[in-house]
Coordinates of all heavy atoms in Angstrom, one line a residue:
S324 N 112.0 123.6 114.1 CA 112.0 122.2 113.8 C 110.7 121.5 114.3 O 110.6 120.3 114.3 CB 113.2 121.5 114.6 OG 113.1 121.7 116.0
T325 N 109.7 122.3 114.8 CA 108.5 121.8 115.2 C 107.3 122.3 114.3 O 107.5 123.4 113.7 CB 108.2 122.1 116.7 OG1 108.2 123.6 116.8 CG2 109.2 121.5 117.6
N326 N 106.2 121.6 114.4 CA 105.1 122.0 113.6 C 103.8 121.6 114.3 O 103.8 120.4 114.8 CB 105.1 121.3 112.2 CG 104.0 121.6 111.3 OD1 102.9 121.2 111.5 ND2 104.3 122.4 110.2
V327 N 102.9 122.5 114.5 CA 101.6 122.1 115.1 C 100.5 122.6 114.2 O 100.6 123.5 113.4 CB 101.5 122.8 116.5 CG1 102.6 122.3 117.5 CG2 101.6 124.3 116.4
G328 N 99.3 122.0 114.4 CA 98.2 122.3 113.6 C 97.0 121.4 113.8 O 97.0 120.6 114.8
G329 N 96.1 121.5 112.9 CA 94.9 120.7 113.1 C 94.1 120.7 111.8 O 94.3 121.5 110.9
S330 N 93.1 119.9 111.8 CA 92.2 119.8 110.6 C 90.8 119.5 111.1 O 90.6 118.9 112.2 CB 92.6 118.8 109.6 OG 92.7 117.5 110.1
A331 N 89.8 119.8 110.3 CA 88.4 119.5 110.6 C 87.6 119.4 109.3 O 88.0 120.0 108.3 CB 87.8 120.6 111.5
G332 N 86.6 118.6 109.4 CA 85.8 118.4 108.1 C 84.5 117.7 108.4 O 84.2 117.2 109.5
G333 N 83.8 117.7 107.3 CA 82.5 117.0 107.4 C 82.1 116.5 106.0 O 82.6 116.9 105.0
A334 N 81.2 115.5 106.0 CA 80.7 114.9 104.8 C 79.2 114.8 104.9 O 78.6 114.5 106.0 CB 81.3 113.5 104.6
Y335 N 78.5 115.0 103.8 CA 77.1 114.9 103.7 C 76.7 114.0 102.5 O 77.2 114.2 101.4 CB 76.5 116.3 103.5 CG 74.9 116.3 103.3 CD1 74.1 116.3 104.4 CD2 74.4 116.2 102.1 CE1 72.7 116.3 104.3 CE2 73.0 116.2 101.9 CZ 72.2 116.2 103.0 OH 70.8 116.2 102.9
R336 N 75.9 113.0 102.7 CA 75.4 112.2 101.6 C 73.9 111.8 101.8 O 73.6 111.3 102.9 CB 76.2 110.9 101.6 CG 76.0 110.0 100.3 CD 76.9 108.8 100.3 NE 76.8 108.1 99.0 CZ 77.6 108.3 98.0 NH1 78.6 109.2 98.1 NH2 77.4 107.7 96.8
S337 N 73.1 112.2 100.8 CA 71.7 111.9 100.9 C 71.2 111.6 99.5 O 71.3 112.5 98.6 CB 71.0 113.1 101.4 OG 69.6 112.9 101.4
G338 N 70.8 110.4 99.3 CA 70.3 110.0 98.0 C 71.4 110.1 96.9 O 72.5 109.5 97.1
A339 N 71.1 110.9 95.9 CA 72.1 111.0 94.8 C 73.1 112.1 95.0 O 74.0 112.3 94.2 CB 71.3 111.2 93.5
F340 N 73.0 112.9 96.1 CA 73.9 114.0 96.3 C 74.9 113.6 97.3 O 74.6 112.9 98.3 CB 73.1 115.2 96.8 CG 73.9 116.4 97.1 CD1 74.4 117.2 96.1 CD2 74.2 116.7 98.4 CE1 75.3 118.3 96.4 CE2 75.0 117.8 98.7 CZ 75.5 118.6 97.7
R341 N 76.1 114.1 97.1 CA 77.2 113.9 98.1 C 78.1 115.1 98.1 O 78.3 115.8 97.1 CB 78.0 112.7 97.6 CG 78.6 112.8 96.2 CD 79.0 111.5 95.6 NE 79.4 111.6 94.2 CZ 78.5 111.5 93.2 NH1 77.2 111.2 93.5 NH2 78.9 111.6 92.0
S342 N 78.7 115.4 99.3 CA 79.6 116.6 99.4 C 80.4 116.4 100.6 O 80.1 115.7 101.6 CB 78.7 117.9 99.5 OG 79.6 119.0 99.6
S343 N 81.6 117.1 100.6 CA 82.5 117.0 101.8 C 83.3 118.3 101.8 O 83.6 118.9 100.8 CB 83.4 115.8 101.7 OG 84.3 115.9 100.6
L344 N 83.8 118.7 103.0 CA 84.6 119.9 103.2 C 85.7 119.5 104.2 O 85.4 119.0 105.3 CB 83.8 121.0 103.7 CG 84.5 122.3 104.1 CD1 85.2 122.9 102.9 CD2 83.6 123.3 104.8
D345 N 86.9 119.9 103.8 CA 88.1 119.6 104.7 C 88.9 120.9 104.8 O 89.2 121.6 103.8 CB 89.0 118.5 104.2 CG 88.3 117.2 104.2 OD1 88.3 116.5 105.2 OD2 87.8 116.8 103.1
V346 N 89.3 121.3 106.1 CA 90.1 122.5 106.3 C 91.2 122.1 107.2 O 91.1 121.4 108.2 CB 89.3 123.6 107.0 CG1 90.1 124.8 107.2 CG2 88.1 124.0 106.1
T347 N 92.5 122.5 106.8 CA 93.7 122.2 107.6 C 94.5 123.5 107.8 O 94.7 124.3 106.9 CB 94.5 121.2 106.8 OG1 93.8 120.0 106.6 CG2 95.8 120.8 107.6
Y348 N 95.0 123.6 109.0 CA 95.9 124.7 109.3 C 97.1 124.2 110.1 O 97.0 123.3 111.0 CB 95.3 125.8 110.1 CG 96.2 126.9 110.6 CD1 96.6 127.9 109.6 CD2 96.8 126.9 111.8 CE1 97.5 128.9 110.0 CE2 97.7 127.9 112.2 CZ 98.0 128.9 111.3 OH 98.9 129.9 111.6
Q349 N 98.3 124.6 109.7 CA 99.5 124.3 110.5 C 100.5 125.4 110.4 O 100.5 126.2 109.5 CB 100.2 123.0 109.9 CG 100.6 123.1 108.4 CD 101.1 121.8 107.9 OE1 100.7 120.7 108.4 NE2 102.0 121.8 106.9
T350 N 101.3 125.5 111.5 CA 102.3 126.5 111.6 C 103.6 126.0 112.2 O 103.6 124.9 112.9 CB 101.8 127.7 112.4 OG1 102.8 128.7 112.4 CG2 101.5 127.3 113.8
G351 N 104.7 126.6 111.9 CA 106.0 126.1 112.4 C 106.9 125.7 111.2 O 107.1 126.5 110.3
Y352 N 107.4 124.5 111.3 CA 108.2 124.0 110.2 C 107.4 124.0 108.9 O 106.4 123.5 108.8 CB 108.7 122.6 110.5 CG 109.6 122.0 109.4 CD1 111.0 122.2 109.5 CD2 109.1 121.2 108.4 CE1 111.8 121.6 108.6 CE2 109.9 120.7 107.4 CZ 111.3 120.9 107.5 OH 112.1 120.3 106.6
G353 N 108.0 124.7 107.8 CA 107.3 124.8 106.6 C 106.4 126.1 106.5 O 105.7 126.3 105.5
G354 N 106.4 126.9 107.5 CA 105.7 128.2 107.5 C 104.3 128.0 107.9 O 103.8 127.0 108.5
D355 N 103.5 129.1 107.7 CA 102.1 129.1 108.0 C 101.3 128.6 106.8 O 101.5 129.1 105.7 CB 101.6 130.4 108.4 CG 102.3 130.9 109.7 OD1 102.6 130.1 110.5 OD2 102.5 132.2 109.8
Q356 N 100.4 127.6 107.0 CA 99.7 127.0 105.8 C 98.2 126.8 106.2 O 97.9 126.3 107.2 CB 100.3 125.7 105.4 CG 101.8 125.7 105.0 CD 102.3 124.4 104.5 OE1 101.5 123.6 104.1 NE2 103.6 124.2 104.6
L357 N 97.4 127.3 105.3 CA 95.9 127.1 105.4 C 95.4 126.4 104.1 O 95.6 127.0 103.0 CB 95.2 128.4 105.6 CG 93.7 128.3 105.6 CD1 93.2 127.5 106.8 CD2 93.1 129.7 105.7
W358 N 94.8 125.3 104.3 CA 94.3 124.5 103.1 C 92.8 124.3 103.3 O 92.3 124.0 104.4 CB 95.0 123.2 103.0 CG 96.5 123.2 102.8 CD1 97.4 123.5 103.7 CD2 97.2 123.0 101.6 NE1 98.7 123.5 103.2 CE2 98.6 123.2 101.9 CE3 96.8 122.7 100.3 CZ2 99.5 123.1 100.9 CZ3 97.8 122.5 99.3 CH2 99.1 122.7 99.6
A359 N 92.0 124.4 102.2 CA 90.6 124.1 102.2 C 90.2 123.4 100.9 O 90.7 123.8 99.9 CB 89.8 125.4 102.4
D360 N 89.4 122.4 101.1 CA 89.0 121.6 99.9 C 87.5 121.3 100.0 O 87.1 120.7 101.0 CB 89.8 120.3 99.9 CG 89.7 119.6 98.6 OD1 90.2 120.1 97.5 OD2 89.0 118.5 98.5
L361 N 86.8 121.6 99.0 CA 85.3 121.4 99.0 C 85.0 120.6 97.7 O 85.4 120.9 96.6 CB 84.6 122.8 98.9 CG 83.0 122.7 98.7 CD1 82.4 122.0 99.9 CD2 82.5 124.1 98.5
T362 N 84.3 119.5 97.9 CA 83.9 118.6 96.8 C 82.4 118.4 96.9 O 81.7 118.5 97.9 CB 84.6 117.3 96.8 OG1 84.2 116.6 98.0 CG2 86.1 117.4 96.8
G363 N 81.8 118.1 95.7 CA 80.4 117.9 95.7 C 80.0 117.1 94.4 O 80.8 117.2 93.4
G364 N 79.0 116.3 94.4 CA 78.6 115.6 93.2 C 77.2 115.1 93.3 O 76.5 115.1 94.3
Y365 N 76.6 114.8 92.1 CA 75.2 114.4 92.0 C 75.2 113.3 90.9 O 75.8 113.4 89.8 CB 74.3 115.6 91.6 CG 72.9 115.2 91.9 CD1 72.3 115.5 93.1 CD2 72.1 114.7 90.8 CE1 70.9 115.2 93.3 CE2 70.7 114.4 91.0 CZ 70.2 114.7 92.3 OH 68.8 114.4 92.5
S366 N 74.4 112.3 91.1 CA 74.2 111.2 90.2 C 72.7 111.3 89.6 O 71.8 111.4 90.4 CB 74.4 109.8 90.8 OG 75.7 109.8 91.3
F367 N 72.7 111.2 88.3 CA 71.4 111.2 87.6 C 71.1 109.9 87.0 O 72.0 109.1 86.6 CB 71.4 112.3 86.5 CG 71.7 113.7 87.0 CD1 73.1 114.1 87.1 CD2 70.7 114.6 87.3 CE1 73.4 115.4 87.5 CE2 71.0 115.9 87.8 CZ 72.4 116.2 87.9
D368 N 69.8 109.6 86.8 CA 69.3 108.4 86.1 C 70.0 107.2 86.6 O 70.6 106.5 85.8 CB 69.6 108.7 84.6 CG 68.8 107.6 83.7 OD1 67.9 107.0 84.3 OD2 69.2 107.5 82.5
R369 N 69.9 106.9 87.9 CA 70.5 105.7 88.5 C 72.0 105.6 88.1 O 72.5 104.5 87.7 CB 69.8 104.5 88.0 CG 68.4 104.4 88.6 CD 67.6 103.1 88.2 NE 67.4 103.2 86.7 CZ 66.7 102.2 86.1 NH1 66.3 101.1 86.7 NH2 66.5 102.3 84.8
E370 N 72.7 106.7 88.3 CA 74.2 106.8 88.1 C 74.6 106.6 86.6 O 75.8 106.4 86.4 CB 74.9 105.8 89.0 CG 74.7 106.1 90.5 CD 75.7 105.3 91.4 OE1 76.4 104.5 90.9 OE2 75.6 105.6 92.6
R371 N 73.7 106.7 85.7 CA 74.2 106.6 84.3 C 74.9 107.9 83.9 O 75.8 107.9 83.1 CB 73.0 106.4 83.4 CG 72.3 105.1 83.4 CD 71.3 104.9 82.3 NE 70.8 103.5 82.3 CZ 69.7 103.2 83.0 NH1 69.1 104.0 83.7 NH2 69.3 101.9 82.9
F372 N 74.5 109.0 84.6 CA 75.2 110.3 84.4 C 75.6 110.9 85.7 O 74.8 110.9 86.6 CB 74.3 111.3 83.6 CG 75.0 112.6 83.4 CD1 76.0 112.8 82.5 CD2 74.6 113.7 84.2 CE1 76.6 114.0 82.4 CE2 75.2 115.0 84.0 CZ 76.2 115.1 83.1
T373 N 76.9 111.2 85.9 CA 77.3 111.8 87.2 C 78.0 113.1 86.9 O 78.7 113.3 85.9 CB 78.3 110.8 87.9 OG1 79.5 110.6 87.1 CG2 77.6 109.5 88.2
L374 N 77.9 114.0 87.8 CA 78.6 115.3 87.7 C 79.2 115.6 89.1 O 78.6 115.6 90.1 CB 77.5 116.4 87.4 CG 78.0 117.8 87.2 CD1 79.0 117.9 86.0 CD2 76.9 118.8 87.1
D375 N 80.5 115.9 89.0 CA 81.3 116.2 90.2 C 82.1 117.4 90.1 O 82.6 117.8 89.0 CB 82.2 115.0 90.6 CG 81.5 113.7 91.0 OD1 81.2 113.6 92.2 OD2 81.2 112.9 90.1
A376 N 82.3 118.1 91.2 CA 83.1 119.4 91.2 C 84.0 119.5 92.4 O 83.6 118.9 93.4 CB 82.2 120.6 91.1
R377 N 85.0 120.2 92.3 CA 86.0 120.4 93.4 C 86.6 121.8 93.4 O 87.0 122.3 92.3 CB 87.1 119.3 93.3 CG 88.2 119.5 94.3 CD 89.3 118.5 94.1 NE 90.4 118.7 95.1 CZ 91.6 118.1 95.0 NH1 91.8 117.2 94.1 NH2 92.5 118.3 96.0
L378 N 86.6 122.4 94.5 CA 87.2 123.7 94.7 C 88.3 123.6 95.8 O 88.1 123.0 96.8 CB 86.2 124.8 95.1 CG 85.1 125.1 94.1 CD1 84.1 126.1 94.7 CD2 85.7 125.7 92.8
S379 N 89.5 124.1 95.5 CA 90.6 124.0 96.4 C 91.2 125.4 96.6 O 91.3 126.2 95.7 CB 91.7 123.1 95.9 OG 91.2 121.8 95.7
F380 N 91.7 125.6 97.8 CA 92.4 126.9 98.2 C 93.5 126.6 99.1 O 93.4 125.8 100.1 CB 91.4 127.9 98.8 CG 92.1 129.1 99.4 CD1 92.6 130.1 98.6 CD2 92.2 129.2 100.8 CE1 93.2 131.2 99.2 CE2 92.9 130.3 101.4 CZ 93.4 131.3 100.6
A381 N 94.6 127.3 99.0 CA 95.7 127.2 99.9 C 96.4 128.6 100.0 O 96.6 129.3 99.0 CB 96.8 126.2 99.4
N382 N 96.7 128.9 101.3 CA 97.5 130.1 101.6 C 98.7 129.7 102.3 O 98.7 129.1 103.4 CB 96.7 131.1 102.4 CG 97.5 132.3 102.8 OD1 98.1 132.3 103.9 ND2 97.5 133.3 102.0
V383 N 99.9 130.0 101.7 CA 101.2 129.5 102.3 C 102.1 130.7 102.5 O 102.2 131.6 101.6 CB 101.9 128.5 101.3 CG1 103.2 128.1 102.0 CG2 101.0 127.3 101.1
T384 N 102.7 130.8 103.7 CA 103.6 131.9 104.0 C 104.8 131.3 104.6 O 104.8 130.8 105.8 CB 103.0 132.9 104.9 OG1 101.8 133.5 104.3 CG2 104.0 134.1 105.2
D385 N 105.9 131.2 103.9 CA 107.2 130.6 104.4 C 108.3 131.6 104.2 O 108.7 131.8 103.1 CB 107.4 129.3 103.7 CG 108.6 128.5 104.3 OD1 109.3 129.1 105.2 OD2 108.9 127.4 103.9
S386 N 108.8 132.2 105.3 CA 109.8 133.2 105.1 C 111.1 132.7 104.6 O 112.0 133.4 104.2 CB 110.0 133.9 106.5 OG 110.4 133.0 107.5
F387 N 111.3 131.4 104.8 CA 112.6 130.8 104.3 C 112.5 130.2 102.9 O 113.5 129.7 102.4 CB 113.0 129.7 105.3 CG 113.4 130.2 106.6 CD1 112.5 130.3 107.7 CD2 114.7 130.7 106.8 CE1 112.9 130.8 108.9 CE2 115.1 131.2 108.1 CZ 114.1 131.2 109.1
N388 N 111.3 130.3 102.3 CA 111.2 129.9 100.9 C 110.1 130.8 100.2 O 109.0 130.5 100.2 CB 110.7 128.4 100.8 CG 110.8 127.9 99.4 OD1 111.0 128.6 98.5 ND2 110.6 126.6 99.3
P389 N 110.6 132.0 99.8 CA 109.7 133.0 99.2 C 108.9 132.4 98.0 O 107.8 132.9 97.7 CB 110.6 134.1 98.8 CG 111.8 133.9 99.6 CD 112.0 132.5 99.8
R390 N 109.3 131.5 97.3 CA 108.6 130.9 96.2 C 107.4 130.1 96.6 O 106.5 129.8 95.8 CB 109.6 130.0 95.3 CG 110.8 130.8 94.7 CD 111.5 129.9 93.8 NE 110.6 129.6 92.6 CZ 111.0 128.8 91.6 NH1 112.2 128.2 91.7 NH2 110.2 128.5 90.6
L391 N 107.3 129.8 97.9 CA 106.2 129.1 98.4 C 105.3 130.0 99.3 O 104.9 129.7 100.4 CB 106.6 127.9 99.2 CG 107.0 126.6 98.4 CD1 107.3 125.5 99.4 CD2 105.8 126.2 97.5
T392 N 105.1 131.2 98.8 CA 104.3 132.2 99.5 C 103.3 132.8 98.5 O 103.5 133.1 97.4 CB 105.2 133.4 100.0 OG1 106.2 132.9 100.9 CG2 104.4 134.5 100.6
G393 N 102.0 132.8 99.0 CA 100.9 133.3 98.2 C 99.7 132.5 98.3 O 99.6 131.6 99.1
N394 N 98.7 132.9 97.5 CA 97.4 132.2 97.4 C 97.4 131.3 96.2 O 97.8 131.7 95.1 CB 96.3 133.2 97.4 CG 96.1 134.0 98.7 OD1 96.4 133.5 99.8 ND2 95.8 135.3 98.5
F395 N 96.8 130.1 96.4 CA 96.8 129.1 95.3 C 95.3 128.6 95.2 O 94.7 128.3 96.2 CB 97.7 127.9 95.6 CG 99.1 128.3 95.7 CD1 99.6 128.8 96.9 CD2 100.0 128.1 94.7 CE1 100.9 129.1 97.1 CE2 101.4 128.4 94.9 CZ 101.8 128.9 96.1
Y396 N 94.7 128.7 94.0 CA 93.3 128.3 93.8 C 93.3 127.2 92.7 O 94.0 127.1 91.8 CB 92.5 129.5 93.3 CG 92.6 130.7 94.1 CD1 93.6 131.7 93.9 CD2 91.7 130.9 95.1 CE1 93.7 132.8 94.7 CE2 91.7 132.1 95.9 CZ 92.8 133.0 95.7 OH 92.8 134.1 96.5
G397 N 92.3 126.3 92.9 CA 92.1 125.2 91.9 C 90.6 124.9 91.8 O 89.9 125.0 92.8
A398 N 90.2 124.5 90.6 CA 88.8 124.1 90.4 C 88.8 123.0 89.4 O 89.6 123.0 88.4 CB 88.0 125.3 90.0
Q399 N 87.8 122.1 89.5 CA 87.7 121.0 88.6 C 86.3 120.6 88.5 O 85.5 120.5 89.5 CB 88.6 119.8 89.1 CG 88.6 118.7 88.1 CD 89.4 117.5 88.6 OE1 89.0 116.8 89.5 NE2 90.6 117.3 88.1
V400 N 85.8 120.3 87.3 CA 84.5 119.8 87.0 C 84.7 118.5 86.2 O 85.4 118.4 85.2 CB 83.6 120.8 86.2 CG1 82.3 120.1 85.9 CG2 83.5 122.0 87.0
W401 N 84.0 117.4 86.6 CA 84.1 116.1 86.0 C 82.7 115.6 85.7 O 81.9 115.4 86.6 CB 84.8 115.1 86.9 CG 85.1 113.8 86.4 CD1 84.2 112.9 85.9 CD2 86.3 113.1 86.3 NE1 84.8 111.7 85.5 CE2 86.1 111.9 85.7 CE3 87.6 113.5 86.7 CZ2 87.2 111.0 85.5 CZ3 88.7 112.6 86.5 CH2 88.4 111.3 85.9
A402 N 82.4 115.5 84.4 CA 81.1 115.0 83.9 C 81.3 113.6 83.3 O 82.2 113.5 82.4 CB 80.4 115.9 82.9
S403 N 80.5 112.6 83.6 CA 80.7 111.3 83.2 C 79.3 110.7 82.7 O 78.3 110.8 83.5 CB 81.3 110.4 84.2 OG 81.5 109.1 83.8

Side-chain angles (χ1 to χ4, degrees):
S324 61
T325 57
N326 181 290
V327 295
S330 60
Y335 178 88
R336 191 177 188 95
S337 177
F340 178 77
R341 56 196 174 273
S342 181
S343 65
L344 173 66
D345 296 277
V346 178
T347 300
Y348 175 77
Q349 59 185 29
T350 183
Y352 182 87
D355 298 328
Q356 301 185 22
L357 174 64
W358 298 76
D360 191 73
L361 174 65
T362 64
Y365 195 88
S366 300
F367 303 86
D368 193 16
R369 291 180 294 181
E370 298 192 353
R371 288 188 176 91
F372 178 73
T373 60
L374 183 64
D375 292 272
R377 175 184 177 186
L378 295 174
S379 301
F380 167 76
N382 176 269
V383 180
T384 303
D385 187 354
S386 60
F387 292 94
N388 191 349
R390 298 189 64 184
L391 282 180
T392 297
N394 294 322
F395 302 77
Y396 305 89
Q399 184 182 74
V400 177
W401 185 303
S403 181

